[in-house]
Amino acid sequence: MSDNYLFNERPLVIRPELATKIGLNESIFLQQLHYWLQKSNHVVNGKKWVYNTYNSWKEQMPFWSLSTIKRTISNLQKKDYLIVDRFNKAGFDKTNWYSIDYDNLNKGLSQRLVQNEPTRSSNCANGLVQNDTTNTIDYTESTTEITTSNMSSSNEHDHSDAKEIIAYLNDKADKHFRNTQSNYKTIEARLNDYSIDDLKRVIDNKCASWLNTNMDKYLRIETLFRASKIDGYLNEKVDTRNTGGEVHGIDF
């Protein structure tokens, strides 16, 4: 059933119908992963897997920032379309392994998409090749510049990730930090190396340690997400007594 929604060949091809249903970024990522899964020889529990770092994904899709890639992966996980696990022999190797839950993907899309194979038409505009028969778009290398300009305005400069972190901190620590450029800059600098879940875990950890103590005043953005401190804060053990029993993003 994998060929219902995803193609097996390059260049990267997505169906506008799929992008409408699950999002453009999510469609592009799933299609790229699907392509590599067809070539993968890594089989665990009867399922093919591809292992990659965030930076490796970025090399394949340079028109995205690391934070966009992390957010896209997180969105697909929440929808149960993407499976992420670790099968690395070395405990220090945190490289993720990825697979697609094709059953959930097919169930999640109520309308069956057109099954015809795409063929290139001669109607080219702005680096996109539109096939009138199958209503598909072929993304060639020339789409990088176009995608960058289109996506940067909608994804890279809306500060949605930073706003989410600010709101989470305000809720957990009973603070009132504002959505300002200086706060965005601090948070987004860390999102180049850490995920949204990592930053939320830092908030959880330090709320557990500092909330309602004389250290409460340090529950602030410039302290929590300081480059020299964040690794230590991230790896502290969480005491859930001050976090309402919630532990965010912990891998036991």
Side-chain angles (χ1 to χ4, degrees):
M1 297 181 67
S2 64
D3 62 344
N4 284 354
Y5 300 103
L6 301 171
F7 298 105
N8 295 326
E9 72 279 5
R10 298 190 70 158
L12 181 61
V13 180
I14 67 166
R15 294 187 183 275
E17 298 95 332
L18 181 62
T20 299
K21 291 175 181 295
I22 70 172
L24 176 61
N25 290 358
E26 288 77 7
S27 299
I28 293 173
F29 185 89
L30 274 189
Q31 180 58 56
Q32 186 72 354
L33 174 58
H34 176 73
Y35 169 79
W36 288 115
L37 285 172
Q38 305 313 302
K39 297 178 174 292
S40 175
N41 294 320
H42 301 286
V43 179
V44 180
N45 298 327
K47 184 182 293 292
K48 285 188 173 184
W49 297 82
V50 171
Y51 60 89
N52 245 337
T53 63
Y54 290 127
N55 284 326
S56 295
W57 285 124
K58 191 177 189 319
E59 289 177 4
Q60 297 180 44
M61 295 169 280
F63 43 82
W64 285 342
S65 69
L66 285 174
S67 61
T68 296
I69 291 172
K70 293 173 184 178
R71 181 173 62 246
T72 301
I73 290 172
S74 178
N75 289 342
L76 288 168
Q77 283 186 270
K78 291 175 182 177
K79 295 175 182 177
D80 294 326
Y81 298 156
L82 179 66
I83 307 172
V84 181
D85 211 328
R86 288 176 182 165
F87 305 109
N88 308 304
K89 294 181 180 179
F92 61 83
D93 187 352
K94 303 302 182 182
T95 304
N96 285 330
W97 293 61
Y98 300 86
S99 189
I100 296 174
D101 192 324
Y102 292 106
D103 288 337
N104 279 340
L105 178 62
N106 290 326
K107 291 176 183 177
L109 304 176
S110 58
Q111 183 177 358
R112 186 182 180 88
L113 301 179
V114 180
Q115 299 300 305
N116 295 334
E117 291 293 330
T119 56
R120 289 183 176 274
S121 73
S122 59
N123 298 323
C124 300
N126 297 327
L128 300 182
V129 181
Q130 181 73 39
N131 184 297
D132 294 333
T133 302
T134 60
N135 195 27
T136 61
I137 297 175
D138 291 358
Y139 281 78
T140 64
E141 291 181 0
S142 62
T143 62
T144 300
E145 180 179 353
I146 300 165
T147 309
T148 300
S149 62
N150 289 341
M151 289 185 177
S152 62
S153 60
S154 61
N155 290 329
E156 305 306 326
H157 299 301
D158 63 0
H159 305 294
S160 58
D161 291 350
K163 290 177 182 177
E164 182 177 343
I165 295 301
I166 293 171
Y168 191 84
L169 175 58
N170 286 340
D171 178 63
K172 289 292 180 178
D174 193 25
K175 302 293 183 180
H176 303 281
F177 292 106
R178 299 174 59 190
N179 294 322
T180 63
Q181 291 299 320
S182 60
N183 286 338
Y184 295 155
K185 183 178 180 180
T186 300
I187 293 171
E188 288 167 355
R190 300 290 78 77
L191 286 173
N192 287 328
D193 300 304
Y194 299 89
S195 69
I196 293 176
D197 281 352
D198 287 338
L199 267 58
K200 288 183 177 180
R201 178 175 175 177
V202 167
I203 293 171
D204 286 343
N205 286 357
K206 300 318 295 179
C207 280
S209 301
W210 293 348
L211 194 64
N212 299 324
T213 72
N214 61 352
M215 299 293 287
D216 189 290
K217 61 185 177 181
Y218 295 110
L219 289 170
R220 57 193 184 194
I221 291 169
E222 62 268 29
T223 301
L224 294 173
F225 306 128
R226 185 180 303 169
S228 62
K229 296 291 186 180
I230 187 171
D231 247 7
Y233 295 158
L234 178 61
N235 288 285
E236 290 181 0
K237 291 187 178 296
V238 172
D239 182 346
T240 62
R241 287 175 296 179
N242 288 332
T243 59
E246 179 180 352
V247 180
H248 189 95
I250 296 289
D251 294 324
F252 292 98

